Amino acid sequence: MAKTRIGIYGYGNLGRGVELACRQNEDLELAALFTRRDPASVQPLTAGVPVYAADDLAAHTGDVDVLVLCGGSARDLPEQTPACASLFNVVDSFDTHANIPAHFADVDVEAKAGGKVALISGGWDPGMFSLARLYATSILPEGHDYTFWGRGVSQGHSDAIRRIEGVADARQYTVPVPAALEAVRAGENPELTTRQKHTRECFVVAEEGADTAAIERAIVEMPNYFADYDTTVTFVPQEELDRDHAGIPHGGSVIRSGVTGQDGEHGHVVEYSLKLDSNPEFTGSVLAACARAVHRLSAEGQTGCKTLFDVPPAYLSPLSAEELRASML
Ligand code: NDP
């Protein structure tokens, strides 16, 4: 098969992650970038890649085999993925879990109308974590599921702190409680409350003269975001935040603890764990593998919306089926 020509729509952290992933895969070639901003203001990391205005997407359907949508899940993807799915084979990382069925339905109609394949909710959660849960629960029907996130930066929680009056900047880390993680790994099947599973660490830059006690109270009492967690707030100067908290690490563990035997006497613990230095670069790498699979599904004549559940694992790999069989031995 010739190289898969990749288009990237939306050039933020994730867009750059997909671009870097293309460099690591010889069968993928970055063909074009699309942005809603002035294309002249966007400088790709890769020299020579053309940058086009998103308004001109329809003029470039012949340049791209798979368009990877890298916009935000909250506002961009619910519009962009259905709008592009009748024109291009597409991949997105839509991560608003509760809205995945509705997003799937919107995209499916458009992809089928255009005779294209669309894979939604690639990434790691949803994405690789979803697959890990599916494999483990299919194999161990009697058991418990646990998902721990972190240590990692939560963009949504960091944004929520930045919206508090008197806050200039902030970074929030989600951290699993070690004792809870150990108990689950030991197969103890504990019942865990939200507070017992994760803590939240906040590094905050206060504006000059701001009431730091009021900011701290506003954070730890914030419903949904912090009130149900043990939260620590540390005020730091902007230079320290820029120096020590500039990265976007994340990760976590999906654990299934199950039993087999006549009376459930044998315990089994299955764990899939990620420790990511860069959330967007890892997510971009998953989307690149998904793009390869989408190109293959499309070449077979399939159409419509898919998730990672619908992709044969071998289609994610650059290796052929024969090469993969040989490597299992
Ligand atoms: P960013 O905020 O970096 O980028 C989102 C969009 O903002 C870009 O596509 C870009 O679109 C636009 N943008 C506007 N101005 C700028 C600017 N000055 N610099 C960069 N971008 C700009 O978000 P991320 O890339 O970090 O994340 C995108 C989404 O990925 C998240 O909303 C999240 O839902 C999803 N995600 C999913 C994961 C999963 O496991 N499923 C994991 C991680 C993230 P344009 O070029 O058109 O202006």
Side-chain angles (χ1 to χ4, degrees):
M1 202 170 182
K3 285 192 180 204
T4 298
R5 295 167 304 163
I6 303 292
I8 294 172
Y9 178 11
Y11 195 60
N13 298 314
L14 185 55
R16 275 189 296 278
V18 174
E19 176 181 20
L20 293 171
C22 287
R23 292 186 186 180
Q24 293 186 329
N25 289 282
E26 285 181 7
D27 63 325
L28 305 182
E29 178 183 17
L30 181 57
L33 292 178
F34 298 90
T35 180
R36 291 162 296 181
R37 286 165 285 158
D38 173 6
S41 72
V42 171
Q43 288 301 321
L45 300 170
T46 314
V49 175
V51 184
Y52 301 117
D55 287 345
D56 294 336
L57 269 160
H60 295 282
T61 52
D63 303 346
V64 164
D65 296 310
V66 183
L67 184 67
V68 183
L69 292 138
C70 297
S73 287
R75 280 183 287 273
D76 299 336
L77 299 179
E79 303 285 326
Q80 293 175 347
T81 312
C84 293
S86 62
L87 297 172
F88 296 90
N89 295 314
V90 298
V91 171
D92 82 15
S93 70
F94 185 74
D95 70 356
T96 314
H97 290 246
N99 296 343
I100 289 173
H103 187 55
F104 185 99
D106 291 346
V107 174
D108 193 45
V109 171
E110 298 299 332
K112 282 185 176 142
K116 303 292 183 189
V117 176
L119 187 146
I120 62 158
S121 303
W124 60 277
D125 195 7
M128 299 310 295
F129 271 15
S130 319
L131 270 184
R133 289 186 202 104
L134 183 149
Y135 280 126
T137 48
S138 304
I139 294 163
L140 294 172
E142 288 186 22
H144 291 85
D145 277 325
Y146 299 89
T147 302
F148 291 91
W149 292 276
R151 187 177 200 263
V153 171
S154 165
Q155 222 62 58
H157 287 77
S158 303
D159 288 345
I161 298 172
R162 281 193 284 264
R163 282 194 290 269
I164 296 171
E165 198 183 326
V167 171
D169 204 351
R171 235 353 177 226
Q172 193 274 174
Y173 296 88
T174 306
V175 187
V177 174
L181 202 47
E182 275 163 34
V184 170
R185 284 180 172 148
E188 292 170 15
N189 288 324
E191 295 285 340
L192 296 168
T193 62
T194 302
R195 190 177 297 278
Q196 287 168 327
K197 283 177 73 182
H198 296 96
T199 53
R200 298 199 176 277
E201 293 176 9
C202 312
F203 294 87
V204 180
V205 181
E207 284 170 0
E208 185 101 23
D211 180 347
T212 52
I215 292 173
E216 179 162 355
R217 224 172 22 252
I219 295 172
V220 300
E221 293 175 0
M222 196 185 296
N224 302 320
Y225 283 83
F226 295 101
D228 297 333
Y229 300 84
D230 288 338
T231 301
T232 54
V233 179
T234 308
F235 289 94
V236 295
Q238 184 75 54
E239 310 80 74
E240 187 177 325
L241 196 80
D242 294 344
R243 188 190 64 222
D244 298 342
H245 304 284
I248 318 177
H250 219 318
S253 301
V254 167
I255 303 173
R256 175 85 178 163
S257 175
V259 293
T260 61
Q262 293 262 55
D263 299 305
E265 66 273 30
H266 298 126
H268 310 273
V269 178
V270 180
E271 176 166 356
Y272 178 80
S273 174
L274 295 173
K275 293 173 199 68
L276 312 176
D277 255 0
S278 164
N279 181 0
E281 288 180 17
F282 182 82
T283 305
S285 297
V286 178
L287 297 187
C290 290
R292 171 186 296 122
V294 161
H295 195 199
R296 286 178 168 149
L297 293 171
S298 177
E300 285 177 358
Q302 295 209 37
T303 63
C305 193
K306 316 278 177 195
T307 68
L308 269 168
F309 294 156
D310 308 307
V311 173
Y315 282 24
L316 295 167
S317 170
L319 300 180
S320 68
E322 292 75 15
E323 288 169 319
L324 286 171
R325 277 192 292 277
S327 70
M328 284 181 85
L329 299 174

